[in-house]
Amino acid sequence: MIERRRTDILVLGAGGAGLLAALHAKDAAPALEVTIAVKGLLGKCGCTRMVQGGYNVAIAQGDSAERHFMDTLEGGKWLNDQDLAWTLVTGAQVRIRELENRWGCFFDRNPDGTIHQKAFAGQTFDRTVHKGDLTGIEIVNRLAEQVWARGINRMEEHRAVALIRSRDGARLAGVLLIDMRSGGLLFVQARAVLLGTGGGPTMYKYHTPSGDKACDGMAMALRAGLALRDMEMVQFHPTGVLAGPGTRMTGTIIEEGLRGAGGYLLGGDGQRFMHKYDPRGERATRDIVSRSMQREIRAGNVNEAGGLWIEMKHLGPERVRREFKGMVERCADMGFDLAAGRVPVVPTAHYMMGGVVFRPDGATDLPGLFAAGEDTGGVHGANRLGGNGVANSTVFGGIAGDSMAAWAPREGAFEEPDEAALAEAVALVEAPFGRAPRPLSPIRDALLELMWDKAGILRDGPGLADCARGLAALEAELDATGVDGRERAFNLTWHDWLNLKSLLLVSRAIVVAAAAREESRGAHWREDFPHTADAAAGLAATRVTLRDGAIALEWQPVAFTRLRPGESLLAAE
Ligand SMILES: Cc1cc2nc3c(=O)[nH]c(=O)nc-3n(C[C@H](O)[C@H](O)[C@H](O)COP(=O)(O)OP(=O)(O)OC[C@H]3O[C@@H](n4cnc5c(N)ncnc54)[C@H](O)[C@@H]3O)c2cc1C
């Protein structure tokens, strides 16, 4: 028995994308009923809350949207959708003021009252706005308060599991969800839906995103027939802490601003190594630093924990304590002295540049479905600049909220769902209850190791082929593994099964795209194809879809709508 409800606008996820979308939609169309459905607790889940370093925006004297745009394209190795990237850099200038003046966030300031901006790797200007070194808590707390203060419905601990099309298949009718508190299923019919579940490469052995993220949004999009682009582009952050086995702190990051401020990375031999790989040393982009670290690790230049070190003490322990208070305290909690000692680190899977194909107004190819934030692809191209992530989710979340508020009364309708598709989705979700329960942890552990070893920072054709075979075997194993369904309320084993289902599907998409791209670009490094193809000769993005259970790939030429590779907007400055 499925409960049925309806709301004008349904927002999936409560990170920067979801919260801004709900607030904008409600402000733009107060008469519409807006509902947020979120897997965790509102204000307490997702990665926006975990943002440490800050928010990129060109608001300082001497900086410009054009400069931010060029850095974003150079960082993205020209694979970006340029209209999306331009919307990001110009939209960030509006959104940062809005975050302070409309939603009540306070960011750190200079003595003259201007907003303080710090250095982040890979950028030609210090443009990262922050609140100490735990910026996301400020943003999410203030946005959540604003949501609570408005008449926005909240469905907390509700997990979206399927996007259901209308009877004629032409548009979205609504979403199937699980009320995690009771285990009951419900179908929410909506005129417009925002997909803002935040991606999250938690299929890798070391990863940073919050535990609620399992690529559910991308998996739902694939199953609903939508295309994902650039799925081979997985970003690894250089400084995940090696806190020891058996703690979820392992893999969590200490922020990029440490390297921006002049922090050293040291091998197991206690020596700096980054200048061997890049003249910018530790301030090179994340992809280069992560790869260099992985090479040192493979070469055996490791500490006793099997990783490398970050060291800050040469900057003065007092300064480090003052400027990186949150990081110093976090490291102390794990038993490390960041200010005056060394912290063991390893690269860690952080962010997926790929995701649902969408347009600058937030619309997707499925009428009624909008998308924003880490679920989407195209903004960052082959690599995301640190600080462009939270800008992305808040800029496009707000835009999508405005778009949905305009679209829902004009073109949106309460469509009846395709009942066969709904029944199929219910069957998939309940599938493990019909089988003999077995532990899931061996499947999870094997997935994490497989993706880390074969589809991680350094890839090659034979490894990716092995990975594809391994994923198929794990999927068969998962499909044969049951879950005890006698108690469905907070049945975390059931949710873990569903998490693995999403992660395995999206892992397949990563591997197919990574095997197809026979060059190295941005975050995607092929040991067997180490060259980077000349972008001036034309570039194409990978697009994957799910057809008859298999991942199909096609190439979509990148339209250089504003600039061709090698050209610059700055020449005219
Ligand atoms: C440790 C860490 C530090 C970071 N630091 C920075 C930084 O300094 N600067 C920067 O720009 N970026 C940073 N990022 C990246 C940044 O957090 C993201 O780019 C961005 O905030 C993502 O926003 P989002 O709204 O798309 O997703 P999220 O904020 O992750 O929100 C996703 C939401 O969807 C919900 N959800 C998931 N699945 C479902 C489902 N099936 N049904 C319903 N709800 C669901 C989650 O519970 C959550 O509420 C950092 C990320 C991490 C992990």
Side-chain angles (χ1 to χ4, degrees):
M1 174 68 181
I2 306 175
E3 187 191 332
R4 308 232 172 184
R5 285 190 210 165
R6 60 162 60 172
T7 182
D8 294 305
I9 293 174
L10 178 64
V11 171
L12 303 179
L19 293 171
L20 256 300
L23 289 168
H24 270 244
K26 194 67 191 169
D27 268 17
L32 294 183
E33 194 181 359
V34 178
T35 303
I36 298 180
V38 52
K39 200 170 176 182
L41 294 172
L42 195 128
K44 301 288 181 201
C45 56
C47 289
T48 306
R49 193 179 170 81
M50 299 168 82
V51 164
Q52 300 178 345
Y55 191 115
N56 288 346
V57 54
I59 46 168
Q61 280 260 303
D63 200 4
S64 63
E66 286 77 5
R67 186 177 284 278
H68 188 184
F69 181 67
M70 292 311 303
D71 286 348
T72 301
L73 291 194
E74 293 290 347
K77 301 287 176 249
W78 294 86
L79 197 63
N80 321 56
D81 176 313
Q82 296 188 3
D83 293 336
L84 292 174
W86 183 251
T87 307
L88 170 76
V89 299
T90 50
Q93 294 172 317
V94 177
R95 197 67 80 233
I96 203 77
R97 303 288 182 206
E98 178 188 319
L99 283 169
E100 281 211 329
N101 300 330
R102 191 159 158 207
W103 310 123
C105 303
F106 284 102
F107 299 113
D108 286 3
R109 301 197 109 68
N110 297 308
D112 67 359
T114 54
I115 292 181
H116 182 261
Q117 294 180 274
K118 64 179 167 183
F120 248 33
Q123 301 192 55
T124 58
F125 204 94
D126 295 354
R127 64 165 70 91
T128 307
V129 171
H130 62 108
K131 169 85 172 180
D133 53 4
L134 294 171
T135 310
I137 293 175
E138 174 72 4
I139 295 175
V140 167
N141 282 358
R142 300 294 83 79
L143 294 178
E145 285 161 8
Q146 296 290 339
V147 166
W148 287 321
R150 285 167 169 71
I152 295 172
N153 301 332
R154 303 190 305 271
M155 295 167 66
E156 296 177 79
E157 297 182 311
H158 278 70
R159 175 187 192 144
V161 282
L163 304 171
I164 306 295
R165 286 179 181 251
S166 56
R167 279 183 188 153
D168 63 2
R171 53 166 71 204
L172 186 66
V175 180
L176 178 70
L177 296 115
I178 302 172
D179 177 348
M180 299 166 73
R181 298 163 308 178
S182 67
L185 293 174
L186 45 103
F187 173 71
V188 179
Q189 194 180 30
R191 297 175 201 243
V193 173
L194 186 275
L195 192 66
T197 67
T202 54
M203 66 284 276
Y204 287 93
K205 177 176 169 187
Y206 300 114
H207 60 251
T208 68
S210 55
D212 48 330
K213 299 222 295 191
C215 295
D216 287 343
M218 293 181 188
M220 287 189 284
L222 278 173
R223 291 190 200 109
L226 286 148
L228 309 183
R229 61 171 288 177
D230 303 332
M231 290 304 288
E232 70 278 26
M233 300 301 175
V234 179
Q235 180 171 75
F236 292 83
H237 191 291
T239 48
V241 180
L242 264 179
T247 161
R248 294 217 45 186
M249 293 308 286
T250 284
T252 58
I253 54 170
I254 46 176
E255 72 133 317
E256 179 136 321
L258 295 167
R259 286 183 294 115
Y264 291 158
L265 289 171
L266 309 176
D269 58 4
Q271 301 301 311
R272 290 175 74 192
F273 56 83
M274 269 311 301
H275 285 93
K276 280 195 299 196
Y277 298 101
D278 192 286
R280 290 168 295 179
E282 285 86 351
R283 285 184 74 165
T285 46
R286 290 177 176 177
D287 54 328
I288 293 172
V289 180
S290 296
R291 238 170 7 246
S292 309
M293 291 173 74
Q294 189 68 4
R295 294 220 162 92
E296 291 294 310
I297 291 170
R298 277 197 182 171
N301 184 15
V302 292
N303 56 30
E304 54 275 16
L308 307 163
W309 301 107
I310 188 163
E311 187 178 81
M312 304 295 295
K313 65 181 175 202
H314 55 282
L315 299 176
E318 274 321 305
R319 177 182 159 198
V320 177
R321 278 188 202 103
R322 194 175 57 247
E323 289 182 17
F324 298 99
K325 183 169 177 289
M327 294 303 107
V328 170
E329 287 171 1
R330 184 161 293 181
C331 289
D333 287 344
M334 293 181 257
F336 305 118
D337 183 355
L338 178 65
R342 291 174 178 173
V343 178
V345 289
V346 70
T348 177
H350 187 45
Y351 188 93
M352 296 160 85
M353 276 68 74
V356 176
V357 174
F358 80 123
R359 292 188 274 284
D361 67 354
T364 69
D365 290 340
L366 178 58
L369 183 69
F370 295 74
E374 217 177 310
D375 270 343
T376 63
V379 178
H380 309 294
N383 204 5
R384 171 179 75 92
L385 295 179
N388 269 1
V390 63
N392 174 39
S393 58
T394 55
V395 165
F396 287 101
I399 292 173
D402 292 334
S403 297
M404 291 190 295
W407 191 88
R410 199 180 60 228
E411 296 177 58
F414 286 115
E415 293 282 339
E416 289 309 316
D418 173 347
E419 292 292 339
L422 188 54
E424 203 179 305
V426 170
L428 183 109
V429 165
E430 294 190 330
F433 295 142
R435 305 180 193 127
R438 277 207 309 245
L440 291 170
S441 48
I443 301 177
R444 173 172 287 278
D445 292 348
L447 171 66
L448 268 58
E449 291 285 349
L450 183 68
M451 288 298 285
W452 185 258
D453 287 343
K454 308 284 186 186
I457 300 169
L458 305 172
R459 304 159 170 181
D460 61 29
L464 290 164
D466 273 357
C467 194
R469 281 189 289 274
L471 290 174
L474 287 176
E475 200 145 8
E477 208 177 324
L478 184 71
D479 286 343
T481 300
V483 168
D484 184 344
R486 282 171 295 180
E487 178 54 82
R488 293 194 185 188
F490 286 115
N491 186 330
L492 297 185
T493 312
W494 182 24
H495 288 286
D496 205 25
W497 191 94
L498 292 167
N499 286 343
L500 285 168
K501 196 75 187 155
S502 295
L503 288 172
L504 280 162
L505 177 58
V506 176
S507 296
R508 278 164 55 199
I510 292 172
V511 169
V512 167
R517 185 171 290 284
E518 294 186 332
E519 63 156 346
S520 293
R521 180 172 299 279
H524 170 69
W525 187 269
R526 289 282 300 256
E527 296 272 70
D528 45 353
F529 296 100
H531 70 287
T532 301
D534 180 10
L539 269 181
T542 56
R543 266 173 86 109
V544 294
T545 46
L546 188 63
R547 288 197 205 138
D548 300 326
I551 300 287
L553 181 133
E554 58 190 33
W555 293 95
Q556 174 83 34
V558 176
F560 301 121
T561 50
R562 290 165 191 265
L563 282 181
R564 293 199 60 78
E567 294 175 349
S568 172
L569 285 182
L570 299 182
E573 268 196 339

